[in-house]
Amino acid sequence: MNRLVVIVATLFVPTTYGAAGGLWCYHDPSCDDTTWSAIVTEHCNGSRQSPINIVSASAVGDETLTAFTFTKYGDNSTMNKIKNTGKTVKVTLKSGVQVTGGALSEAYDSLQFHLHWGNGTSVPGSEHTVDGTRYPMEMHIVNAKSSLNGNTTAAVADDTGLAVLGFFIKAMPSNVTGSPAAWNTLTSYLANITLKDEYINITHDAFSLDELLEGVDRTKYYRYLGSLTTPNCNEAVVWTVFKDPIKVSQDLIDLFSTTVHIEHNSTSDLMTNVFRNIQPDNDWVVTTQGHPASGASTMRSSLGLMALAWMLLRV
Ligand SMILES: *[C@@H]1O[C@H](CO)[C@@H](O)[C@H](O)[C@H]1NC(C)=O
Ligand SMILES: *[C@@H]1O[C@H](CO)[C@@H](O)[C@H](O)[C@H]1NC(C)=O
Ligand SMILES: *[C@@H]1O[C@H](CO)[C@@H](O)[C@H](O)[C@H]1NC(C)=O
Ligand SMILES: *[C@@H]1O[C@H](CO)[C@@H](O)[C@H](O)[C@H]1NC(C)=O
Ligand SMILES: *[C@@H]1O[C@H](CO)[C@@H](O)[C@H](O)[C@H]1NC(C)=O
Ligand SMILES: *[C@@H]1O[C@H](CO)[C@@H](O)[C@H](O)[C@H]1NC(C)=O
Ligand SMILES: *[C@@H]1O[C@H](CO)[C@@H](O)[C@H](O)[C@H]1NC(C)=O
Ligand SMILES: *[C@@H]1O[C@H](CO)[C@@H](O)[C@H](O)[C@H]1NC(C)=O
Ligand SMILES: [Zn+2]
């Protein structure tokens, strides 16, 4: 009898943890991304989950995908603090950083950016892939509708409450080191946050978002409606995935998988392979700059309109 109680209790433990929202992971088969749709049903089992593999030839031309206007992206005093969350390295931004345009419905406040990676340059760890290619790393700048005044509960409950800007990171040739300078500075802070929950204020050694995004043509991107890639996987994200990668030297890329640990304990595992696998393609339409010209893309375009109409009806 007692034994049965123990077994039943054990069976329910993962669900309880999932509901608590805390104990998902990347590394352990009992809580890695293959389990999220079961342990965090709201919303990891949904039908517009990210990341996805972007098939470039199937992206539908959309003339409304104009350039963005970035506010304070050139300002070198917007970085607030850098933190080891146990799942990623996250930099929070000071208020006043914004993005508009790019066919977003209103201005969005840039709140933080964080990174996803594999295991150094040898094991790639971007979340999105393009035509099946996975890049070494991916940077996500997370933005929320300005009209929601920083209410993240409201943002994740809104179909388009968040706008995430995704940037691929590609390795430079191996004879280049410590480059670009802004990434050298950013990664120099990793030694101060080797353990989970450690953070430091970014005070001196300033760098700007523009410097981190150097070399990327920010008028060329893919757009689709998806979700957060970590629990609770809320389907609240307008995704922008830029085509050009940021180029970073291999020694700096390697620092992420060799410096920070997943627990508040230096004997715990190093943080590696912190990305979610590709989610099922539910015919969700990916758009990009251009004219909906060819027969194939016109057909896809009407499919896109159908999907849009369905979405509007659903709201
Ligand atoms: C996901 O799980 C929730 C809660 O169990 C359920 O209401 C919903 O129908 C499920 N959705 C799908 C697509 O299975
Ligand atoms: C990451 O790569 C290092 C060096 O190649 C290797 O020792 C380590 O086992 C790898 N870690 C994982 C989780 O695969
Ligand atoms: C945040 O938004 C939620 C959902 O819309 C609402 O219930 C809550 O009252 C808001 N919180 C604040 C502080 O405005
Ligand atoms: C790296 O090697 C390439 C070609 O081998 C060369 O063109 C380039 O100047 C080198 N860069 C540095 C920083 O040594
Ligand atoms: C960060 O780490 C470096 C190198 O270990 C050290 O010199 C510096 O004092 C640390 N900074 C803070 C704010 O802890
Ligand atoms: C960061 O700055 C805040 C105040 O701005 C201060 O309270 C906190 O102690 C600082 N943290 C560290 C780790 O320096
Ligand atoms: C930060 O920007 C200010 C104003 O543009 C400039 O004077 C300063 O040199 C910059 N600091 C660094 C570390 O680049
Ligand atoms: C640190 O982690 C190791 C291995 O993960 C574990 O054996 C040890 O008990 C932990 N120490 C503390 C103080 O948590
Ligand atoms: Zn992310």
Side-chain angles (χ1 to χ4, degrees):
M1 186 61 195
N2 279 341
R3 203 170 145 180
L4 180 66
V5 170
V6 169
I7 291 168
V8 170
T10 308
L11 284 175
F12 278 95
V13 162
T15 312
T16 311
Y17 283 3
L23 294 177
W24 58 275
C25 70
Y26 289 109
H27 302 88
D28 184 331
S30 72
C31 52
D32 70 14
D33 66 345
T34 63
T35 70
W36 299 352
S37 63
I39 67 174
V40 195
T41 48
E42 297 287 338
H43 304 268
C44 300
N45 71 345
S47 54
R48 98 176 218 202
Q49 291 289 295
S50 297
I52 59 169
N53 173 49
I54 296 167
V55 179
S56 60
S58 300
V60 176
D62 180 349
E63 290 161 304
T64 72
L65 297 177
T66 52
F68 292 97
T69 301
F70 298 95
T71 304
K72 288 204 178 184
Y73 273 53
D75 187 325
N76 62 23
S77 62
T78 57
M79 306 291 155
N80 187 21
K81 58 182 190 180
I82 182 167
K83 182 178 180 181
N84 174 343
T85 71
K87 304 287 197 296
T88 187
V89 167
K90 179 169 87 175
V91 175
T92 49
L93 301 169
K94 292 177 184 162
S95 64
V97 190
Q98 276 197 340
V99 58
T100 58
L104 296 174
S105 59
E106 59 172 274
Y108 282 69
D109 296 325
S110 304
L111 306 177
Q112 50 108 329
F113 71 85
H114 61 266
L115 297 136
H116 298 271
W117 63 88
N119 191 6
T121 37
S122 51
V123 181
S126 68
E127 295 212 295
H128 290 91
T129 57
V130 177
D131 299 331
T133 297
R134 193 181 295 284
Y135 287 83
M137 297 183 69
E138 187 170 330
M139 173 181 179
H140 289 158
I141 305 179
V142 180
N143 310 270
K145 274 184 179 168
S146 295
S147 60
L148 299 175
N149 295 315
N151 185 338
T152 48
T153 309
V156 296
D158 179 333
D159 248 359
T160 58
L162 299 170
V164 182
L165 307 180
F167 296 88
F168 294 120
I169 293 168
K170 181 183 172 167
M172 287 176 167
S174 60
N175 62 345
V176 183
T177 58
S179 185
W183 284 88
N184 198 31
T185 307
L186 174 71
T187 52
S188 72
Y189 286 108
L190 295 178
N192 299 97
I193 55 165
T194 59
L195 307 183
K196 182 186 177 189
D197 295 331
E198 285 183 336
Y199 76 93
I200 63 166
N201 296 321
I202 299 180
T203 45
H204 56 299
D205 284 340
F207 53 94
S208 66
L209 283 166
D210 278 347
E211 288 171 284
L212 291 175
L213 307 179
E214 191 186 291
V216 176
D217 177 351
R218 282 180 250 162
T219 67
K220 303 282 190 296
Y221 56 86
Y222 296 107
R223 165 65 48 80
Y224 78 99
L225 297 174
S227 75
L228 294 176
T229 64
T230 56
N232 296 334
C233 312
N234 305 71
E235 299 188 325
V237 181
V238 180
W239 273 100
T240 302
V241 178
F242 292 88
K243 296 183 181 182
D244 284 349
I246 301 168
K247 295 189 185 71
V248 177
S249 63
Q250 295 184 17
D251 58 326
L252 300 186
I253 290 175
D254 288 343
L255 285 174
F256 287 92
S257 55
T258 56
T259 311
V260 291
H261 293 267
I262 64 170
E263 298 292 351
H264 197 85
N265 177 341
S266 60
T267 61
S268 67
D269 285 348
L270 287 165
M271 206 183 286
T272 55
N273 302 317
V274 284
F275 62 94
R276 187 186 196 189
N277 284 292
I278 296 300
Q279 297 302 297
D281 175 2
N282 292 299
D283 290 329
W284 211 256
V285 176
V286 176
T287 56
T288 189
Q289 285 72 36
H291 304 277
S294 75
S297 58
T298 306
M299 195 198 75
R300 286 195 154 264
S301 183
S302 47
L303 282 176
L305 286 175
M306 279 164 58
L308 183 67
W310 177 76
M311 213 188 79
L312 292 174
L313 283 173
R314 207 169 54 122
V315 175

